[in-house]
Amino acid sequence: MGGRVYLRRMPLSDYQTDASRTVNPALSPEDRLLDAAAGLAEEAGEVLARVRKHRFQQRTLDRDEIIIELGDALWCLAMVATSLGITLDEVADRNIAKLRARHPDGFRAR
């Protein structure tokens, strides 16, 4: 893949709504949740595989391919959240609150 392509900056809530259009409507709500959760683990594994091959097999770490895999993971994350009635904004807000409580002055090795 060539250079970077930026369409626009998208709020998480807009991404979640747009991504939800592509969920398989034939799946039951329970199967949608399982499919998205399993997909999240699978896509995380694909990111790990690319990084591992870069680190231990001297393969080029293709930034564009990492972006694609992270996008697939984001879709799965969004569909897990959507299946549970959670917004990505809530996930992000809660994560930042947890990080601020854990590292109020930023990360410091102990």
Side-chain angles (χ1 to χ4, degrees):
M1 303 192 100
R4 297 179 192 168
V5 176
Y6 294 102
L7 300 176
R8 66 182 172 105
R9 294 202 185 271
M10 178 181 287
L12 290 174
S13 57
D14 289 353
Y15 174 83
Q16 192 168 3
T17 299
D18 286 354
S20 292
R21 295 181 319 98
T22 63
V23 74
N24 183 347
L27 296 178
S28 70
E30 296 83 11
D31 284 347
R32 263 188 227 133
L33 174 60
L34 179 57
D35 183 48
L40 182 57
E42 181 181 323
E43 296 302 335
E46 290 185 24
V47 171
L48 176 60
R50 291 185 184 283
V51 171
R52 183 186 63 81
K53 288 174 183 177
H54 170 70
R55 178 71 172 98
F56 297 114
Q57 298 174 9
Q58 293 74 46
R59 296 204 189 162
T60 301
L61 188 60
D62 187 318
R63 184 178 190 278
D64 290 330
E65 290 194 14
I66 292 291
I67 290 170
I68 290 168
E69 297 302 345
L70 289 173
D72 291 343
L74 179 60
W75 184 92
C76 294
L77 176 65
M79 294 310 98
V80 169
T82 299
S83 294
L84 297 172
I86 300 167
T87 67
L88 288 179
D89 292 322
E90 181 181 358
V91 172
D93 289 345
R94 292 258 189 111
N95 183 252
I96 291 298
K98 179 187 83 171
L99 292 172
R100 285 184 178 151
R102 186 177 294 166
H103 306 287
D105 299 317
F107 178 80
R108 290 202 179 114
R110 297 176 192 238

